[in-house]
Amino acid sequence: MSAATRPQILLTNDDGIQSPGLWAAAQALSALGYVYVTAPRDQVSGSGRSVPPTSDGRILSQRLQIGGQEWPVYAVGGTPAQVVMHGVMEIMPQPPDLVVSGINYGENPGLSVTVSGTVGAALEAASMGIPALAVSLELEDISTYLEHRDDVDFSTAAHFTALFAARVLREGLPPDVDLLKIDVPHNATPQTPWRLTRLARHRYFIPRIQRTGPWEEPAVISGGLDVTPDQVAPDSDVHTLMFDRLVSVTPLSLDMTSRVDLPALEQRWKQD
C-alpha cells in the first residue's frame, strides 16, 4: 500500500519537535498509516488553542533518524493550534483522516483542560471536522514538565495512543464526540484497564504566583496539585487517573453550551 492510500495521520504536540513523547507516538502510529510529524519549533506548553499574531509561521523541513527510521518532519513557528492549521492547509497533500496531539509530558485532566496546548491542537483539528486524539502521560514530578526527559518511558502511553487511533480510524467518533482526551498514569502498563470518564469540575493545577520583588519586576506563575478523592466524582478523569490509577479516556465536544433546559430557563428569567 502506497503512502497516499494509507490512512493519513497528522501528529503534533505542544512540547516541541524534539520531544521524546512525540517520537514515541510517531513510531506507534506508523503501523496504522502514513504519519506527518508537524510540531511546534519551540516549547509552547500551556498555550491552549491560542493563535497569537506574534507567531512567525515559518516552516522548517528536515529529516531525522528516529529508531532506525528516517522521518520527514516539519517544525513550525507557532502554537499547537497554528501548527494544525499549517499542517492541514499547507503541508499535507490531502486532509488527514486523524490528528493526534501528544504524547504530552504531563497530564491534562479537570478544569485545566482549556489551558493545555495538547488539547488545544486537538480542538483545532475537531473544529475543522477532523477526528482527533489528545494524549498525555502523567508526571512523576510536576516541576519537570518543561523538560525533554530521555529517562521517561512513553511506551505504555504509545500503546494506548495506537489503540484508540486504530479504533477511531476504523469506526470514527460517535455523534457529539469531536475528540478523545486520554490521560495515562505514569506507572501504567499496556494491561492497565481504561475507563470512559467525564471532566472533573475541579481545577487540577492550582496556580501559584512566585514574586520576590515589587510588581514592576518579573514574576512566574507556577502550579501545584491540591485535590482529595472526595472532591471529584468517581467517574471523572481526575479520580480515575489520580486515585484509581486507570487510563482515563474522556470524550469531548466542541459544543460548550451548558446542558440546561434552555426554554425553561429563558421562561423563568423573562418572568422576573
Side-chain angles (χ1 to χ4, degrees):
M1 185 182 294
S2 69
T5 57
R6 300 183 72 200
Q8 304 291 292
I9 301 171
L10 175 62
L11 174 64
T12 191
N13 70 353
D14 71 354
D15 291 324
I17 195 74
Q18 298 296 333
S19 169
L22 180 75
W23 294 105
Q27 290 179 299
L29 294 168
S30 64
L32 304 177
Y34 189 82
V35 182
Y36 286 81
V37 180
T38 306
R41 181 185 61 220
D42 307 307
Q43 165 65 262
V44 283
S45 290
S47 54
R49 195 186 161 193
S50 64
V51 244
T54 51
S55 298
D56 60 44
R58 294 176 179 172
I59 301 175
L60 304 178
S61 176
Q62 53 187 298
R63 303 186 78 86
L64 295 179
Q65 285 286 339
I66 305 292
Q69 180 179 352
E70 187 175 69
W71 294 82
V73 303
Y74 304 91
V76 181
T79 65
Q82 290 172 317
V83 170
V84 170
M85 294 180 192
H86 288 290
V88 173
M89 295 189 286
E90 290 191 286
I91 295 171
M92 296 187 67
Q94 63 192 72
D97 300 294
L98 176 69
V99 170
V100 176
S101 181
I103 300 164
N104 189 63
Y105 183 47
E107 64 269 37
N108 283 298
L111 298 183
S112 302
V113 69
T114 52
V115 177
S116 165
T118 302
V119 179
L123 288 169
E124 186 59 41
S127 75
M128 302 171 84
I130 305 166
L133 304 180
V135 187
S136 303
L137 176 64
E138 181 189 34
L139 293 165
E140 287 190 72
D141 179 358
I142 191 174
S143 68
T144 63
Y145 80 100
L146 292 177
E147 300 177 12
H148 288 162
R149 298 280 299 273
D150 292 328
D151 59 341
V152 175
D153 184 0
F154 287 94
S155 61
T156 293
H159 164 80
F160 285 101
T161 301
L163 177 70
F164 284 96
R167 180 175 294 275
V168 173
L169 287 170
R170 183 174 66 248
E171 303 175 10
L173 291 171
D176 197 39
V177 177
D178 296 305
L179 63 145
L180 297 179
K181 182 182 70 70
I182 302 170
D183 293 284
V184 181
H186 67 77
N187 58 346
T189 71
Q191 290 72 45
T192 298
W194 58 268
R195 176 189 293 162
L196 283 180
T197 59
R198 63 181 64 252
L199 282 181
R201 293 185 67 85
H202 190 282
R203 188 163 188 168
Y204 186 75
F205 294 107
I206 308 301
R208 299 167 180 165
I209 297 180
Q210 299 175 334
R211 185 187 301 277
T212 57
W215 285 358
E216 292 80 6
E217 295 183 5
V220 175
I221 297 179
S222 62
L225 303 184
D226 185 11
V227 57
T228 57
D230 60 293
Q231 293 176 313
V232 286
D235 64 346
S236 69
D237 53 357
V238 172
H239 201 292
T240 296
L241 178 72
M242 283 193 74
F243 305 113
D244 297 329
R245 308 308 295 162
L246 304 180
V247 176
S248 168
V249 181
T250 311
L252 297 180
S253 171
L254 287 171
D255 182 1
M256 298 178 70
T257 310
S258 174
R259 271 59 174 177
V260 67
D261 186 334
L262 293 177
L265 180 61
E266 182 176 0
Q267 182 180 20
R268 180 165 65 85
W269 283 357
K270 285 183 175 180
Q271 290 175 344
D272 291 346

